[in-house]
Amino acid sequence: MQLLNKAVVTEHLNMQAAIDVIEALLHQQAAHPSWTKSPERLVINTFTDSDSHRSGSHLSMPATMYDGENEYTVVKLVTICPDNPSRDLPTTTAIITVSNNDNGSILAMMDGIYITQVRTAALSGIATKYMARPDCQSVAVVGCGGMAYEQLHAVLTVRPDIKTVYLWNRHTEGAQQFKTRFTRDYAQWNVDIKVCEVLNDAICNVDIINVATRATDGLFSVDQIKSEVHINAVGAYQPSMKEISNDVIANSKMVIVDDLIGSHHEAGDLIQAHESEDCTWVWNDLSGDLQALVTASLEEGSTNEEKNTKDDKAITLFKSVGAASFDAVVSLHVAKQAQKQNLGSLVDW
């Protein structure tokens, strides 16, 4: 078994590879639906909000995957601790195992923090590749936590002509730290990064908006953003959370999710929009999922463009909640690399 810590995973997993293997998986799932089995993840809430703790969650995410030659099981165990940034620790901790289903041998055990960040970001990258205008010049990052970091990396990977990045965080210090770190780690991206103290200054004139927060109310209205903006929303992963306002959702030309089943239970933005008497958007207006988008199999009339009459809005929205299959294909890619190149530490199990 190859034991791979975060440093090894980070060194040998790049964003373009993650985007490529997830796109390949989406095509494979369309051609061979039975090759991947990914049950809905188990979520257990941890703690309750109090003076000493904020509520978090523990997730168990198993998947089996056949690659045309062999079948594997990949399991990710995740704990989300919202208080961790104040302890100088990552909000999300995770560990992943990859095993061969032929004999049950464990091929690799790896740190899952970077896997989680990269696969979540890669989904936004894929959505941006297919949904955002090809001539995008600017992007706003709303919420500057761990998920946002690689999400920006993914967007720049598929839209390398972007020149300006605007950062907004509830605490400006977090945005400043984000800028310092991103400039250091990704110097190859020749972008001008601006920290904004006011959210509207970050979002009012950009081509792409990345949102990754734990907000419980929509953060901006449709009148605050450009008519053809593309939005990647990866926060609000529980029904009680919401970062995209109802009027933004209702005025979106296209709404795509990464996982059809999971989104109905976890995509707080869309769940609340559907349930609101004051919002015209309902689940039947959903354009489809990422697989249908990538494989060009969206049904005709699957967008709510006909309802999209306010100022001729042409907003596109990608909502991600995550699924074990995406973790599995990226983890399997890393595990196969580890075996071929003898990465990490070889451990007898």
Side-chain angles (χ1 to χ4, degrees):
M1 178 183 74
Q2 305 298 131
L3 187 62
L4 311 173
N5 62 18
K6 184 179 180 181
V8 173
V9 174
T10 302
E11 181 181 358
H12 295 280
L13 174 62
N14 66 71
M15 183 60 67
Q16 188 61 61
I19 289 172
D20 291 344
V21 297
I22 291 177
E23 273 205 72
L25 171 68
L26 294 170
H27 284 283
Q28 178 181 291
Q29 286 178 317
H32 305 283
S34 64
W35 283 18
T36 302
K37 299 180 178 66
S38 177
E40 190 173 356
R41 63 190 179 189
L42 172 65
V43 180
I44 303 173
N45 293 327
T46 58
F47 291 107
T48 55
D49 285 326
S50 68
D51 292 338
S52 59
H53 285 286
R54 283 195 294 167
S55 61
S57 54
H58 176 77
L59 295 74
S60 178
M61 302 174 65
T64 60
M65 183 164 293
Y66 179 64
D67 65 2
E69 296 180 0
N70 299 292
E71 186 182 76
Y72 304 89
T73 292
V74 182
V75 180
K76 184 174 80 168
L77 300 176
V78 185
T79 303
I80 299 174
C81 304
D83 295 316
N84 269 3
S86 64
R87 304 164 179 145
D88 198 27
L89 295 170
T91 301
T92 302
T93 64
I95 190 167
I96 297 171
T97 61
V98 179
S99 57
N100 187 320
N101 285 353
D102 183 46
N103 55 23
S105 61
I106 299 177
L107 305 180
M109 180 179 294
M110 67 189 74
D111 180 271
I113 296 176
Y114 192 64
I115 295 280
T116 301
Q117 292 173 346
V118 170
R119 73 90 161 124
T120 302
L123 295 170
S124 289
I126 294 168
T128 300
K129 174 181 174 180
Y130 286 87
M131 299 174 74
R133 292 169 50 188
D135 59 349
C136 291
Q137 295 292 303
S138 57
V139 57
V141 175
V142 178
C144 295
M147 289 297 176
Y149 193 75
E150 294 303 331
Q151 191 183 25
L152 175 58
H153 181 193
V155 168
L156 293 176
T157 299
V158 300
R159 289 292 184 270
D161 292 333
I162 286 175
K163 303 301 182 186
T164 310
V165 176
Y166 298 90
L167 306 178
W168 180 85
N169 196 62
R170 287 192 184 276
H171 301 289
T172 305
E173 181 183 359
Q176 293 286 1
Q177 292 172 350
F178 184 106
K179 177 180 178 178
T180 299
R181 182 184 168 203
F182 198 89
T183 302
R184 178 197 68 205
D185 293 351
Y186 293 117
Q188 73 268 30
W189 299 114
N190 185 25
V191 293
D192 181 18
I193 303 180
K194 303 177 184 293
V195 173
C196 301
E197 294 188 2
V198 179
L199 174 58
N200 192 66
D201 293 343
I203 64 172
C204 64
N205 199 37
V206 295
D207 301 309
I208 300 170
I209 302 175
N210 288 346
V211 192
T213 72
R214 285 172 53 85
T216 54
D217 291 300
L219 295 169
F220 49 85
S221 68
V222 70
D223 295 323
Q224 293 177 268
I225 56 181
K226 287 176 68 172
S227 60
E228 294 183 347
V229 70
H230 171 66
I231 303 170
N232 296 307
V234 305
Y237 54 87
Q238 294 180 355
S240 60
M241 296 178 177
K242 186 173 182 66
E243 55 188 8
I244 307 302
S245 302
N246 286 351
D247 68 338
V248 172
I249 297 171
N251 281 279
S252 292
K253 175 183 178 180
M254 181 179 290
V255 180
I256 295 289
V257 297
D258 58 344
D259 181 59
L260 287 174
I261 296 175
S263 63
H264 278 73
H265 298 149
E266 299 176 15
D269 316 89
L270 303 183
I271 292 170
Q272 293 181 46
H274 171 82
E275 294 177 348
S276 174
E277 295 181 356
D278 298 325
C279 182
T280 59
W281 191 90
V282 293
W283 280 112
N284 284 341
D285 294 319
L286 185 70
S287 305
D289 63 5
L290 204 58
Q291 176 182 305
L293 179 72
V294 168
T295 60
S297 58
L298 289 176
E299 294 181 8
E300 186 176 351
S302 61
T303 73
N304 57 336
E305 185 173 6
E306 296 81 3
K307 298 170 61 177
N308 186 18
T309 58
K310 187 175 182 180
D311 297 334
D312 296 322
K313 294 293 182 183
I315 299 164
T316 56
L317 171 62
F318 171 63
K319 175 62 186 177
S320 175
V321 296
S325 58
F326 303 130
D327 294 288
V329 73
V330 175
S331 301
L332 184 57
H333 168 75
V334 173
K336 288 181 177 180
Q337 275 191 303
Q339 282 198 310
K340 290 180 181 178
Q341 302 177 36
N342 195 28
L343 305 178
S345 303
L346 181 61
V347 179
D348 289 332
W349 194 258

